[in-house]
Amino acid sequence: MNLAELNKIIQGVQLEDVTSESNATFEELPDGYYLSEVEKVELRETKETHNPMVMIQFKVAEDAIQIDDSGSQFLSISKTKGRKIFMNFVIKDEKSYKRFVSDMLKFENSEGESILDKSYFTVDDETMMQALEALIGYNIYIHLSTTENSDGSKNQWRNLISWKRVINLGLPQ
């Protein structure tokens, strides 16, 4: 775009109905099962506590699935394919690290065996990150579920689902 076009837009735009919330088009994804592909893995620090944090970015590979109330039928959730899901694993102590490793072991091959060996998580941060970067391109189901607190606020939970559990649930592979 050249500056003449930009100036034309600036001078012609009506801003009366624009607020700081006007672009709040981001909607939480509905509860369901999301077959998702790992797109990016990063090691960061949390802003407030400066704890190490592994951030994994996923892209939804297929429209998500909900299981009906009877538990016998799958319902497709349209317009979810291509959306992003972010999971942050804050590592503040041994317990949180074990929980993180347990989730990473849910990345399994078609035989239900973890594609990452536990040993990758016992050397150092560089070895751990090399192992995690090998997950880029892998698919895994993420289950999103929402709970409501007594004060009316809501929490959305993101849980990785092992292929063994996927098979038990009867989700498409």
Short mmCIF file of all heavy atoms in Angstrom, two decimals, residues 118-147:
data_model
loop_
_atom_site.label_atom_id
_atom_site.label_comp_id
_atom_site.label_asym_id
_atom_site.label_seq_id
_atom_site.Cartn_x
_atom_site.Cartn_y
_atom_site.Cartn_z
N LYS A 118 12.06 -40.90 28.12
CA LYS A 118 12.23 -40.12 29.35
C LYS A 118 13.63 -39.56 29.50
O LYS A 118 13.83 -38.51 30.12
CB LYS A 118 11.92 -40.99 30.57
CG LYS A 118 10.48 -41.33 30.75
CD LYS A 118 10.32 -42.18 32.00
CE LYS A 118 9.03 -42.97 31.95
NZ LYS A 118 8.93 -43.86 33.10
N SER A 119 14.61 -40.24 28.94
CA SER A 119 16.00 -39.79 29.09
C SER A 119 16.23 -38.39 28.52
O SER A 119 17.12 -37.68 28.98
CB SER A 119 16.96 -40.79 28.43
OG SER A 119 16.75 -40.84 27.03
N TYR A 120 15.43 -37.98 27.52
CA TYR A 120 15.57 -36.63 26.96
C TYR A 120 15.29 -35.56 28.00
O TYR A 120 15.68 -34.41 27.84
CB TYR A 120 14.63 -36.42 25.78
CG TYR A 120 14.94 -37.27 24.57
CD1 TYR A 120 13.97 -38.11 24.02
CD2 TYR A 120 16.19 -37.23 23.96
CE1 TYR A 120 14.25 -38.88 22.90
CE2 TYR A 120 16.48 -38.00 22.85
CZ TYR A 120 15.49 -38.83 22.33
OH TYR A 120 15.78 -39.59 21.22
N PHE A 121 14.58 -35.93 29.05
CA PHE A 121 14.17 -34.96 30.06
C PHE A 121 15.03 -35.03 31.32
O PHE A 121 14.68 -34.47 32.34
CB PHE A 121 12.69 -35.19 30.41
CG PHE A 121 11.79 -35.04 29.23
CD1 PHE A 121 11.36 -36.15 28.51
CD2 PHE A 121 11.39 -33.78 28.81
CE1 PHE A 121 10.54 -36.00 27.39
CE2 PHE A 121 10.57 -33.62 27.70
CZ PHE A 121 10.15 -34.73 26.99
N THR A 122 16.18 -35.74 31.23
CA THR A 122 17.02 -35.89 32.41
C THR A 122 18.44 -35.35 32.21
O THR A 122 19.27 -35.51 33.09
CB THR A 122 17.13 -37.39 32.81
OG1 THR A 122 17.74 -38.11 31.74
CG2 THR A 122 15.78 -37.98 33.15
N VAL A 123 18.72 -34.73 31.06
CA VAL A 123 20.08 -34.27 30.77
C VAL A 123 20.21 -32.78 31.06
O VAL A 123 20.84 -32.38 32.04
CB VAL A 123 20.47 -34.59 29.31
CG1 VAL A 123 21.87 -34.10 29.00
CG2 VAL A 123 20.34 -36.08 29.04
N ASP A 124 19.62 -31.95 30.20
CA ASP A 124 19.67 -30.51 30.38
C ASP A 124 18.60 -29.87 29.50
O ASP A 124 17.91 -30.55 28.74
CB ASP A 124 21.07 -29.94 30.07
CG ASP A 124 21.56 -30.28 28.67
OD1 ASP A 124 20.73 -30.52 27.76
OD2 ASP A 124 22.79 -30.32 28.47
N ASP A 125 18.46 -28.55 29.61
CA ASP A 125 17.42 -27.84 28.87
C ASP A 125 17.61 -27.94 27.36
O ASP A 125 16.65 -28.01 26.60
CB ASP A 125 17.34 -26.37 29.30
CG ASP A 125 18.61 -25.59 29.01
OD1 ASP A 125 19.71 -26.08 29.34
OD2 ASP A 125 18.50 -24.49 28.46
N GLU A 126 18.85 -27.97 26.90
CA GLU A 126 19.12 -28.05 25.46
C GLU A 126 18.65 -29.39 24.90
O GLU A 126 18.00 -29.44 23.85
CB GLU A 126 20.61 -27.86 25.19
CG GLU A 126 20.93 -27.71 23.71
CD GLU A 126 22.41 -27.40 23.50
OE1 GLU A 126 22.95 -26.53 24.21
OE2 GLU A 126 22.99 -28.02 22.60
N THR A 127 18.94 -30.48 25.59
CA THR A 127 18.50 -31.81 25.15
C THR A 127 16.98 -31.90 25.18
O THR A 127 16.35 -32.42 24.26
CB THR A 127 19.11 -32.91 26.04
OG1 THR A 127 20.53 -32.77 26.02
CG2 THR A 127 18.72 -34.29 25.58
N MET A 128 16.38 -31.36 26.25
CA MET A 128 14.93 -31.34 26.35
C MET A 128 14.31 -30.60 25.17
O MET A 128 13.37 -31.07 24.54
CB MET A 128 14.49 -30.69 27.66
CG MET A 128 12.98 -30.57 27.81
SD MET A 128 12.48 -29.52 29.19
CE MET A 128 12.87 -27.88 28.55
N MET A 129 14.84 -29.43 24.84
CA MET A 129 14.28 -28.63 23.75
C MET A 129 14.47 -29.31 22.40
O MET A 129 13.60 -29.23 21.53
CB MET A 129 14.87 -27.22 23.76
CG MET A 129 14.32 -26.35 24.89
SD MET A 129 12.51 -26.31 24.99
CE MET A 129 12.10 -25.55 23.41
N GLN A 130 15.59 -29.98 22.19
CA GLN A 130 15.79 -30.72 20.94
C GLN A 130 14.73 -31.80 20.79
O GLN A 130 14.17 -32.00 19.71
CB GLN A 130 17.19 -31.32 20.88
CG GLN A 130 18.27 -30.30 20.64
CD GLN A 130 19.67 -30.90 20.73
OE1 GLN A 130 19.87 -32.03 21.14
NE2 GLN A 130 20.65 -30.11 20.33
N ALA A 131 14.44 -32.48 21.89
CA ALA A 131 13.40 -33.51 21.86
C ALA A 131 12.03 -32.88 21.57
O ALA A 131 11.28 -33.39 20.73
CB ALA A 131 13.36 -34.26 23.19
N LEU A 132 11.74 -31.78 22.21
CA LEU A 132 10.44 -31.13 22.00
C LEU A 132 10.31 -30.58 20.57
O LEU A 132 9.22 -30.64 19.99
CB LEU A 132 10.23 -30.01 23.02
CG LEU A 132 10.12 -30.46 24.47
CD1 LEU A 132 10.00 -29.25 25.39
CD2 LEU A 132 8.96 -31.42 24.67
N GLU A 133 11.38 -30.07 20.02
CA GLU A 133 11.33 -29.57 18.64
C GLU A 133 11.07 -30.70 17.65
O GLU A 133 10.52 -30.48 16.58
CB GLU A 133 12.62 -28.81 18.31
CG GLU A 133 12.67 -27.46 19.01
CD GLU A 133 14.03 -26.78 18.93
OE1 GLU A 133 14.99 -27.38 18.40
OE2 GLU A 133 14.13 -25.65 19.43
N ALA A 134 11.43 -31.93 18.02
CA ALA A 134 11.14 -33.08 17.17
C ALA A 134 9.64 -33.36 17.10
O ALA A 134 9.18 -34.08 16.20
CB ALA A 134 11.89 -34.32 17.68
N LEU A 135 8.87 -32.77 18.01
CA LEU A 135 7.41 -32.96 18.00
C LEU A 135 6.72 -32.10 16.94
O LEU A 135 5.55 -32.34 16.63
CB LEU A 135 6.82 -32.61 19.38
CG LEU A 135 7.23 -33.51 20.54
CD1 LEU A 135 6.65 -32.97 21.84
CD2 LEU A 135 6.81 -34.94 20.29
N ILE A 136 7.42 -31.12 16.40
CA ILE A 136 6.80 -30.23 15.40
C ILE A 136 6.33 -31.08 14.22
O ILE A 136 7.07 -31.88 13.67
CB ILE A 136 7.78 -29.12 14.97
CG1 ILE A 136 8.04 -28.21 16.17
CG2 ILE A 136 7.23 -28.33 13.78
CD1 ILE A 136 9.09 -27.15 15.95
N GLY A 137 5.07 -30.90 13.89
CA GLY A 137 4.44 -31.67 12.82
C GLY A 137 3.64 -32.86 13.31
O GLY A 137 2.84 -33.42 12.57
N TYR A 138 3.81 -33.26 14.57
CA TYR A 138 3.05 -34.37 15.13
C TYR A 138 1.64 -33.92 15.50
O TYR A 138 1.44 -32.79 15.92
CB TYR A 138 3.74 -34.95 16.37
CG TYR A 138 4.73 -36.03 16.03
CD1 TYR A 138 6.04 -35.72 15.74
CD2 TYR A 138 4.33 -37.36 16.00
CE1 TYR A 138 6.95 -36.71 15.43
CE2 TYR A 138 5.24 -38.36 15.68
CZ TYR A 138 6.55 -38.02 15.39
OH TYR A 138 7.44 -39.00 15.07
N ASN A 139 0.70 -34.85 15.37
CA ASN A 139 -0.67 -34.60 15.76
C ASN A 139 -0.97 -35.25 17.10
O ASN A 139 -0.46 -36.33 17.41
CB ASN A 139 -1.65 -35.17 14.73
CG ASN A 139 -1.70 -34.35 13.47
OD1 ASN A 139 -1.25 -33.21 13.43
ND2 ASN A 139 -2.25 -34.91 12.42
N ILE A 140 -1.81 -34.57 17.86
CA ILE A 140 -2.28 -35.09 19.14
C ILE A 140 -3.64 -34.47 19.41
O ILE A 140 -3.93 -33.36 18.95
CB ILE A 140 -1.29 -34.77 20.29
CG1 ILE A 140 -1.63 -35.56 21.54
CG2 ILE A 140 -1.22 -33.27 20.54
CD1 ILE A 140 -0.53 -35.56 22.60
N TYR A 141 -4.49 -35.20 20.12
CA TYR A 141 -5.77 -34.63 20.53
C TYR A 141 -5.59 -33.80 21.79
O TYR A 141 -4.84 -34.18 22.70
CB TYR A 141 -6.80 -35.73 20.83
CG TYR A 141 -7.62 -36.13 19.62
CD1 TYR A 141 -7.28 -37.26 18.89
CD2 TYR A 141 -8.74 -35.39 19.23
CE1 TYR A 141 -8.03 -37.65 17.79
CE2 TYR A 141 -9.49 -35.78 18.13
CZ TYR A 141 -9.14 -36.90 17.42
OH TYR A 141 -9.89 -37.27 16.34
N ILE A 142 -6.29 -32.68 21.82
CA ILE A 142 -6.35 -31.83 23.00
C ILE A 142 -7.81 -31.75 23.41
O ILE A 142 -8.68 -31.45 22.58
CB ILE A 142 -5.80 -30.42 22.71
CG1 ILE A 142 -4.36 -30.49 22.21
CG2 ILE A 142 -5.92 -29.53 23.95
CD1 ILE A 142 -3.81 -29.17 21.68
N HIS A 143 -8.08 -32.04 24.66
CA HIS A 143 -9.45 -31.94 25.16
C HIS A 143 -9.59 -30.60 25.88
O HIS A 143 -8.84 -30.31 26.81
CB HIS A 143 -9.76 -33.09 26.13
CG HIS A 143 -11.15 -33.05 26.66
ND1 HIS A 143 -11.43 -33.23 27.98
CD2 HIS A 143 -12.34 -32.85 26.04
CE1 HIS A 143 -12.74 -33.15 28.17
NE2 HIS A 143 -13.31 -32.91 27.00
N LEU A 144 -10.52 -29.79 25.41
CA LEU A 144 -10.82 -28.52 26.06
C LEU A 144 -12.10 -28.69 26.87
O LEU A 144 -13.10 -29.21 26.36
CB LEU A 144 -11.03 -27.40 25.05
CG LEU A 144 -9.86 -27.05 24.13
CD1 LEU A 144 -10.20 -25.85 23.26
CD2 LEU A 144 -8.60 -26.77 24.91
N SER A 145 -12.05 -28.27 28.12
CA SER A 145 -13.25 -28.33 28.96
C SER A 145 -13.28 -27.08 29.84
O SER A 145 -12.24 -26.58 30.26
CB SER A 145 -13.26 -29.60 29.82
OG SER A 145 -12.12 -29.66 30.64
N THR A 146 -14.47 -26.60 30.10
CA THR A 146 -14.66 -25.37 30.85
C THR A 146 -15.37 -25.67 32.16
O THR A 146 -16.33 -26.44 32.18
CB THR A 146 -15.49 -24.34 30.04
OG1 THR A 146 -14.85 -24.14 28.77
CG2 THR A 146 -15.60 -23.02 30.76
N THR A 147 -14.89 -25.05 33.23
CA THR A 147 -15.57 -25.15 34.53
C THR A 147 -15.94 -23.75 34.97
O THR A 147 -15.27 -22.77 34.62
CB THR A 147 -14.67 -25.80 35.60
OG1 THR A 147 -13.46 -25.06 35.71
CG2 THR A 147 -14.35 -27.25 35.24
#
